[in-house]
Amino acid sequence: DAKTTQPPSMDCAEGRAANLPCNHSTISGNEYVYWYRQIHSQGPQYIIHGLKNNETNEMASLIITEDRKSSTLILPHATLRDTAVYYCIAARATGKLIFGQGTTLQVKP
Amino acid sequence: GAVVSQHPSRVICKSGTSVKIECRSLDFQATTMFWYRQFPKKSLMLMATSNEGSKATYEQGVEKDKFLINHASLTLSTLTVTSAHPEDSSFYICSASVSLSNEQFFGPGTRLTVL
């Protein structure tokens, strides 16, 4: 599975968009980009995933570069409840997920 | 959405005892279940992958005789920490997936403290 690189921490003002970057320069053609988040002392929560095209759901948008070497998760209107550790993972469909260190997002009032 | 439960949510035990943690998919049948553990302020570490009716596949460095995994049905997997020691104290999390789905559904985790 391809390794991903994320900044260790980011701050965002409440109500503003949070843009979380992820590098996955060694991603292979059959690997998806998955995003999960973990709020303190809870199990991870699925956010979104994509292969090539940009994706949007009720939680977030995922922008994947054309060369697939990086992506950005966008939370359009961050709230205090979005404070969590966000994990970007490159993995095959139904394959095992290898978690990196993630990005700790702190949403501030 | 799909729900995965774990029981117990937290357990404290004496050193040398064995502890069983259950992971259930409540509203779907899981073809594959995964077990992770997480130490304080660290990321999740995959321990093993299990498919219903077959032996679990353990990640490198995880002792299969120490962490017994049984995947007896499509809705239940159990992790037994045998002869637990204080260094086994951790947050244990399971997840479940179904075939043809790209999503893993995670349980709420079990906090194990070994005295």
Side-chain angles (χ1 to χ4, degrees):
Chain A
D1 296 327
K3 179 181 168 60
T4 61
T5 305
Q6 299 177 251
S9 64
M10 292 182 63
D11 289 344
C12 176
E14 187 178 19
R16 304 297 294 269
N19 298 286
L20 290 87
C22 179
N23 285 320
H24 30 78
S25 59
T26 61
I27 194 169
S28 58
N30 63 351
E31 288 183 317
Y32 289 75
V33 179
Y34 291 87
W35 283 84
Y36 284 80
R37 72 180 182 183
Q38 186 179 28
I39 296 170
H40 183 61
S41 295
Q42 297 181 26
Q45 176 189 22
Y46 167 83
I47 301 173
I48 200 167
H49 75 278
L51 185 63
K52 296 181 182 178
N53 299 323
N54 298 337
E55 302 288 344
T56 296
N57 62 22
E58 64 278 4
M59 286 184 68
S61 295
L62 174 61
I63 308 299
I64 303 174
T65 57
E66 195 169 337
D67 63 8
R68 300 210 325 124
K69 291 185 177 182
S70 66
S71 61
T72 302
L73 177 75
I74 302 172
L75 306 179
H77 305 287
T79 70
L80 298 179
R81 287 179 293 182
D82 292 321
T83 292
V85 180
Y86 287 77
Y87 296 100
C88 168
I89 303 168
R92 290 176 293 116
T94 70
K96 57 187 181 182
L97 301 177
I98 304 299
F99 285 77
Q101 295 307 305
T103 295
T104 298
L105 175 68
Q106 183 72 47
V107 180
K108 298 185 174 181
Chain B
V3 178
V4 175
S5 70
Q6 285 185 238
H7 178 79
S9 58
R10 58 178 64 232
V11 56
I12 301 172
C13 70
K14 293 182 179 179
S15 186
T17 60
S18 294
V19 175
K20 180 186 286 188
I21 302 169
E22 291 186 351
C23 176
R24 294 183 184 271
S25 56
L26 297 185
D27 50 2
F28 67 101
Q29 293 186 325
T31 49
T32 306
M33 286 186 168
F34 304 85
W35 286 95
Y36 299 80
R37 68 176 167 182
Q38 186 175 31
F39 293 108
K41 299 189 178 182
K42 298 292 185 181
S43 186
L44 284 79
M45 188 191 80
L46 180 64
M47 299 174 68
T49 302
S50 74
N51 294 293
E52 185 263 341
S54 61
K55 290 184 178 181
T57 302
Y58 290 82
E59 294 298 303
Q60 191 173 8
V62 178
E63 300 174 57
K64 63 180 181 180
D65 295 329
K66 170 78 172 173
F67 300 99
L68 301 178
I69 292 172
N70 184 279
H71 194 158
S73 75
L74 289 173
T75 60
L76 173 64
S77 176
T78 60
L79 169 69
T80 301
V81 183
T82 62
S83 187
H85 291 283
E87 58 266 30
D88 298 322
S89 298
S90 188
F91 192 48
Y92 291 87
I93 307 168
C94 72
S95 71
S97 68
V98 298
S99 60
L100 305 180
S101 170
N102 290 326
E103 190 177 337
Q104 278 188 34
F105 305 96
F106 283 81
T110 296
R111 177 126 354 244
L112 169 64
T113 302
V114 185
L115 302 177

